[in-house]
Amino acid sequence: MSNENLREHTFDGIQEFDNRLPNWWLWTFYLACIFSIAYWVHYHTLGTGELPIEAYTIEQQVAAARLEAELAKNPVTDELLLKLAKEPAVVAEGAKIFKDPGKCALCHKPDASGLVGPNLTDAYWIYGNKPMDIYTTIRDGRPGGMLAHKDQGPLFIQRATAYVLSIMNTNVPGKPPEPNAKKQ
Ligand code: HEC
């Protein structure tokens, strides 16, 4: 550090050297620039990377697919249906089915508070609120106007069941309990 490197300005008698920045420091800076461009292109321009929220959604879908595959191999039980009802990706699929204006929502309303069909969020059930009761109701239908959904396949019935279980006892104000329903 010679005097040649002294910069011209002086503040309160303090002078400054004009030294080269150390190479190791410069390289951390250059690499950070290169990294940021690569990051931007990978995640935001080409979209080849998964942002955390996408990665999370994919993870949930994988978990849901694994459970659904397990269900396909085994007989459906209360326990397996309850597990499904805790999988956000399955419940989300079930919600899509339920809220479809031409499906469940047509008779139960999108919020499940009841219209032609009963309120599914209260504590009163005609055919029981055990997971297999609900599964059977959706699969085979019920004589009072509940349609059978056998022809929609097992995935449809499982997802719809998972959704109904997920909203159970949320008590959305709506249709009063049916006269033949029992408190569960
Ligand atoms: C055409 C109208 C209609 C559609 C569509 C319909 N439901 Fe129903 N649902 C009913 C009626 C009416 C009842 C009551 C049946 C009875 O009293 O026998 C019922 C009963 C039920 C019950 C039993 C309630 C209890 O108290 O035991 C469940 C669960 C149910 N529906 C879920 C669904 C789901 C899930 C879907 C969509 C996959 C759906 N329903 C589609 C009309 C419908």
Side-chain angles (χ1 to χ4, degrees):
M1 289 178 208
S2 69
N3 281 349
E4 285 158 36
N5 276 346
L6 268 184
R7 298 183 69 180
E8 281 179 9
H9 56 243
T10 313
F11 292 108
D12 293 339
I14 299 171
Q15 280 183 288
E16 212 182 352
F17 284 120
D18 189 10
N19 289 329
R20 254 185 68 79
L21 287 159
N23 278 340
W24 68 263
W25 191 95
L26 278 173
W27 272 108
T28 58
F29 176 67
Y30 295 147
L31 288 175
C33 293
I34 293 166
F35 176 80
S36 68
I37 291 166
Y39 183 96
W40 184 263
V41 171
H42 182 52
Y43 285 104
H44 295 281
T45 309
L46 297 177
T48 40
E50 285 160 16
L51 290 168
I53 186 72
E54 290 164 14
Y56 179 65
T57 313
I58 290 172
E59 227 172 80
Q60 284 190 339
Q61 283 165 350
V62 169
R66 205 183 302 131
L67 244 181
E68 288 185 333
E70 191 187 330
L71 257 173
K73 277 189 265 134
N74 298 300
V76 186
T77 59
D78 280 345
E79 203 198 356
L80 283 171
L81 288 170
L82 280 176
K83 264 202 216 165
L84 272 190
K86 296 213 177 75
E87 282 303 328
V90 178
V91 172
E93 287 300 320
K96 267 192 235 156
I97 293 171
F98 197 93
K99 290 172 201 279
D100 181 327
K103 301 218 169 79
C104 324
L106 182 69
C107 301
H108 293 278
K109 289 237 244 179
D111 65 0
S113 64
L115 193 65
V116 184
N119 186 337
L120 301 177
T121 65
D122 62 14
Y124 293 84
W125 295 84
I126 309 169
Y127 300 104
N129 70 344
K130 298 244 164 39
M132 280 309 286
D133 299 335
I134 290 165
Y135 184 85
T136 311
T137 297
I138 298 172
R139 187 187 57 195
D140 301 336
R142 297 291 185 184
M146 171 65 190
L147 302 179
H149 292 85
K150 255 194 264 4
D151 54 342
Q152 304 281 340
L155 266 188
F156 178 101
I157 304 165
Q158 285 164 24
R159 288 169 176 174
T161 306
Y163 181 69
V164 173
L165 290 171
S166 76
I167 57 169
M168 192 174 278
N169 294 323
T170 50
N171 294 310
V172 181
K175 203 176 183 206
E178 315 298 314
N180 55 341
K182 284 189 286 298
K183 195 164 190 225
Q184 303 283 331

